[in-house]
Amino acid sequence: IAGITQAPTSQILAAGRRMTLRCTQDMRHNAMYWYRQDLGLGLRLIHYSNTAGTTGKGEVPDGYSVSRANTDDFPLTLASAVPSQTSVYFCASSDSAGGPVEQFFGPGTRLTVL
Amino acid sequence: GQNIDQPTEMTATEGAIVQINCTYQTSGFNGLFWYQQHAGEAPTFLSYNVLDGLEEKGRFSSFLSRSKGYSYLLLKELQMKDSASYLCAVFDSNYQLIWGAGTKLIIKP
């Protein structure tokens, strides 16, 4: 049982390039989330999906897009990367949305935009 | 605005007890979580409080006072492996998790 996997583990990207961060879960969780974590700041929600086929904007959605074609996958795309998007990105999932349930996190992707 | 405050860093001695405080000001309250995050790793769930009082789970306990907007995580019999960051997070009225910046706990022998 893998839980949540993310790929790549790390990436160095030139500014202006397009990049997709992959996230897959095998727990059949309905809700999935993308966070970024920066030094000195708490985890900030980028986008979320309460169920397959639906997505929503979090606290810091600008410059990012997501899709949720099925239950398991929730890719995050940076259309044109900028240096301020240098961060550690975590994907998470939970059994249900709209309720205070535990979120399970993937191992993270460390992204550097130069 | 919404705000969660935690100390940036704390140091404690192996075998001792440490209390990590968290104060919050959020639009509504639907529960408070504590997560542990080792350096370079993902956060993992420690505890959840929604009612006032103390929840005990082995060496870890978490306390909540909703009227004071306050919680603490109590770690007993500290071990070197407890060196990590501890994240406080609150579910607001929209059921969005609002995260504190985390407290880095350093354990010394």
Side-chain angles (χ1 to χ4, degrees), chain B residues 20-104:
Chain B
I20 302 174
N21 295 326
C22 170
T23 58
Y24 62 89
Q25 293 175 308
T26 57
S27 57
F29 178 84
N30 283 299
L32 184 145
F33 287 85
W34 283 96
Y35 280 76
Q36 181 189 58
Q37 185 177 24
H38 285 101
E41 298 183 7
T44 55
F45 170 80
L46 283 178
S47 68
Y48 169 68
N49 295 69
V50 66
L51 300 177
D52 290 351
L54 189 68
E55 295 280 343
E56 297 187 78
K57 190 184 295 186
R59 293 189 299 115
F60 292 9
S61 302
S62 56
F63 171 84
L64 175 67
S65 169
R66 289 172 296 171
S67 63
K68 295 182 180 178
Y70 168 71
S71 173
Y72 67 73
L73 181 69
L74 191 70
L75 291 74
K76 302 176 185 177
E77 301 170 11
L78 286 170
Q79 302 175 9
M80 296 304 292
K81 67 179 182 179
D82 297 330
S83 292
S85 289
Y86 292 85
L87 313 180
C88 174
V90 172
F91 255 113
D92 69 6
S93 56
N94 295 318
Y95 287 99
Q96 297 284 352
L97 258 183
I98 310 300
W99 295 83
T103 298
K104 182 178 180 180

Side-chain angles (χ1 to χ4, degrees), chain A residues 19-85:
Chain A
M19 176 75 191
T20 295
L21 308 185
R22 299 185 297 278
C23 173
T24 300
Q25 54 108 354
D26 63 2
M27 298 176 283
R28 309 302 294 172
H29 283 170
N30 286 318
M32 297 187 74
Y33 314 85
W34 273 106
Y35 291 95
R36 59 178 290 171
Q37 187 175 41
D38 302 290
L39 196 63
L41 299 177
L43 287 161
R44 291 183 291 169
L45 184 66
I46 304 170
H47 285 284
Y48 64 93
S49 169
N50 289 336
T51 189
T54 69
T55 62
K57 294 182 180 180
E59 179 186 357
V60 288
D62 294 343
Y64 306 94
S65 63
V66 292
S67 61
R68 186 89 183 277
N70 57 60
T71 297
D72 299 342
D73 301 301
F74 191 43
L76 176 75
T77 297
L78 289 67
S80 179
V82 295
S84 62
Q85 292 177 311

